[in-house]
Amino acid sequence: LLMVMALLSKFPIAAVVSIIAAALSTMVYFIPIQDFLKTVITLLIPSLTTLAYMGIVGGSAVAYIVNYLMLAITASYFNRKIIRAYATVFSLISWICLFINPLFIDYSETPMTTGATKIIIFIAESAALYYAVRQGEKALEDTQKALAQVESNTRMAEEIAEELNSAIVKGTGVVQEQIDEAGNVKGSVAKLLGISTDTMEDVMSVKEKIDDATESLKQNYELAESLEKGFENMAVSVQKGNEGAQEVRKSMVY
């Protein structure tokens, strides 16, 4: 903007001032200072150059209007502190220049009245922009709070999901342990059944042996009875033999 003013200027001194101001704006941009100060100074340099330009050329009807454009540029930063600092400093300098020489502000038949009107319009527009940006910042803060709340809720949901996942994993582990225990119990039952089967087989074997022994005892008992009857018959036969012998002896005696 300053370079354009320099090219369009009919006065060499004004063109030189504009070029110097353009160079200063570029230098300020690279100076390592706070962004707030850097921005305000960068905005003030073109505005102060317009006042210097009007003072050099002896007044201008449209040069001051450039500052309305600079005011609009401040709104692009969306920072009410920048708007307030820029508007306050330039308004005070504009009033001072108006009282020193109205031609710094306006070139007309009534430069004092017209110049004051331009400054008042500048202040009114600054106030309007300041209010609009403040409302915008408030809406932005509300939005950021809402986003922060959403992020907080998201983190909370993630934590709940992690806890739920941990609970599921833990529950799965418990179920697996129960399955393993059930498998162990199943194995133990199968083993116990095997032992019981072996025991039953042993019992059956013992029973068979007992049955065999019982059968042997029964046979022995029957043999014993047979022997006893045999002994009884033998005794009877012996007794009868003895009686026959006695009878034979008696017969021989007589």
Side-chain angles (χ1 to χ4, degrees):
L1 180 62
L2 290 168
M3 294 301 296
V4 170
M5 289 176 60
L7 294 173
L8 297 178
S9 177
K10 298 179 181 179
F11 302 93
I13 298 177
V16 172
V17 171
S18 296
I19 293 173
I20 293 173
L24 289 175
S25 298
T26 305
M27 290 174 60
V28 170
Y29 181 80
F30 293 101
I31 295 176
I33 58 177
Q34 294 182 356
D35 289 340
F36 173 77
L37 293 176
K38 183 184 296 186
T39 303
V40 173
I41 294 172
T42 304
L43 292 169
L44 284 172
I45 289 175
S47 296
L48 296 176
T49 302
T50 60
L51 298 179
Y53 174 83
M54 287 185 288
I56 292 171
V57 300
S60 173
V62 296
Y64 193 83
I65 299 176
V66 174
N67 297 299
Y68 299 154
L69 175 60
M70 297 304 302
L71 184 60
I73 292 174
T74 61
S76 65
Y77 291 96
F78 206 73
N79 188 324
R80 56 181 175 173
K81 292 181 179 180
I82 293 176
I83 297 174
R84 181 174 57 193
Y86 166 77
T88 301
V89 173
F90 186 69
S91 296
L92 290 175
I93 294 175
S94 296
W95 283 115
I96 293 172
C97 291
L98 179 66
F99 287 113
I100 293 175
N101 186 355
L103 295 178
F104 280 102
I105 307 300
D106 184 67
Y107 180 79
S108 64
E109 296 180 355
T110 56
M112 179 64 73
T113 302
T114 306
T117 301
K118 289 181 178 180
I119 295 174
I120 291 172
I121 292 173
F122 178 85
I123 294 173
E125 289 184 357
S126 300
L129 284 176
Y130 179 85
Y131 178 78
V133 171
R134 186 180 68 176
Q135 293 298 109
E137 287 181 345
K138 184 178 179 181
L140 182 61
E141 289 177 358
D142 293 339
T143 302
Q144 290 176 344
K145 289 180 180 179
L147 289 175
Q149 185 64 38
V150 170
E151 291 178 356
S152 177
N153 293 338
T154 302
R155 288 193 297 269
M156 184 180 298
E158 290 176 351
E159 292 175 357
I160 293 173
E162 290 178 358
E163 292 178 359
L164 181 59
N165 183 59
S166 299
I168 292 173
V169 172
K170 185 177 180 181
T172 303
V174 173
V175 171
Q176 187 61 43
E177 290 178 0
Q178 295 296 326
I179 293 173
D180 295 339
E181 290 295 331
N184 294 332
V185 171
K186 182 180 178 181
S188 299
V189 170
K191 185 176 181 181
L192 182 60
L193 288 174
I195 295 173
S196 299
T197 302
D198 295 339
T199 303
M200 183 63 67
E201 292 177 353
D202 293 339
V203 170
M204 293 299 296
S205 178
V206 171
K207 182 177 181 298
E208 290 177 354
K209 292 179 179 179
I210 292 175
D211 291 340
D212 292 341
T214 302
E215 184 67 22
S216 299
L217 290 174
K218 183 178 179 181
Q219 291 177 359
N220 293 334
Y221 179 75
E222 290 177 352
L223 290 173
E225 285 184 346
S226 298
L227 290 173
E228 184 179 359
K229 289 181 180 180
F231 287 141
E232 289 178 354
N233 293 330
M234 186 180 294
V236 171
S237 297
V238 171
Q239 185 178 358
K240 288 181 178 182
N242 290 330
E243 291 177 355
Q246 288 293 336
E247 290 180 357
V248 170
R249 187 177 65 83
K250 289 178 179 181
S251 297
M252 293 176 66
V253 172
Y254 297 112

